[in-house]
Amino acid sequence: MKKIFALTLFVSLFTLVTASAQEKKKASPPASVKETISSGTTVSIDYSQPSVKGRTIGAEIAPFGKVWRTGANEATVFEVSKAVKVQGKDLAAGKYGLYTIPGEKEWTIIFNKTWKQWGSTNYSEADDALRVVVKPGKAATPTEQMTFKIEKSGKVSLLWGTTVVAFTVK
């Protein structure tokens, strides 16, 4: 009986240590932001926050000229409760996978109809609902973990490293 108890205790402790180690491996924590903008539309973004960790945006992370999942782990989910205009272009109410094509002088923001998928391995341009192009800016203060902010005015900003990428939702 003591052997069974000892074995059970050992297996339980091993399981806890393994689970704890697995949790620590998930380097990019989940985050979300939600705002009801002045038009009455609710805008929400669910994403994972990769860290810069001394790497260069456009080279080692979020390579310029390539479709990027705009975050880490699962694809970032962008949702609007009503039909909106993004940078003046129509986007129907619903959930979208938020992808980008980073660039030194411009970023393409992509709203893809397939929102529930891992990263960008199964991304298909044929499923894009909308693409808009915006100019990136420089942040006054660096942001280590990628962060989204949504203002009441409808301005959506991605802040990461010294990069700020913003677009408007109305």
Side-chain angles (χ1 to χ4, degrees):
M1 189 68 162
K2 287 182 181 180
K3 287 181 181 180
I4 292 173
F5 176 76
L7 182 61
T8 302
L9 181 61
F10 175 77
V11 169
S12 296
L13 287 172
F14 179 78
T15 302
L16 282 171
V17 169
T18 303
S20 177
Q22 291 294 333
E23 192 61 33
K24 287 179 183 176
K25 282 184 181 179
K26 194 171 188 178
S28 300
S32 64
V33 62
K34 184 177 190 177
E35 180 68 63
T36 300
I37 61 175
S38 53
S39 68
T41 301
T42 301
V43 179
S44 63
I45 305 172
D46 292 312
Y47 61 105
S48 291
Q49 297 181 285
S51 294
V52 176
K53 296 182 184 174
R55 300 174 290 181
T56 303
I57 295 171
E60 295 103 339
I61 50 175
F64 287 162
K66 294 184 180 178
V67 173
W68 176 54
R69 66 179 137 193
T70 317
N73 307 324
E74 294 85 7
T76 292
V77 178
F78 180 91
E79 183 174 8
V80 286
S81 63
K82 299 177 185 175
V84 294
K85 289 195 179 284
V86 177
Q87 294 294 112
K89 295 182 178 181
D90 293 330
L91 182 67
K95 286 185 180 183
Y96 298 91
L98 182 65
Y99 295 89
T100 52
I101 301 174
E104 190 174 342
K105 296 184 180 176
E106 64 182 28
W107 281 49
T108 301
I109 312 294
I110 303 167
F111 300 88
N112 188 273
K113 295 173 194 169
T114 305
W115 59 271
K116 191 173 177 79
Q117 63 178 314
W118 181 265
S120 50
T121 53
N122 293 319
Y123 166 80
S124 172
E125 186 175 342
D127 291 332
D128 289 352
L130 177 65
R131 285 181 171 218
V132 296
V133 176
V134 297
K135 304 270 184 223
K138 287 277 185 196
T141 314
T143 303
E144 176 63 23
Q145 286 186 311
M146 189 191 82
T147 302
F148 280 100
K149 292 192 177 181
I150 305 170
E151 296 177 18
K152 199 83 167 149
S153 66
K155 180 181 178 183
V156 177
S157 299
L158 178 154
L159 303 118
W160 199 26
T162 57
T163 301
V164 178
V165 179
F167 57 92
T168 58
V169 178
K170 295 196 178 218

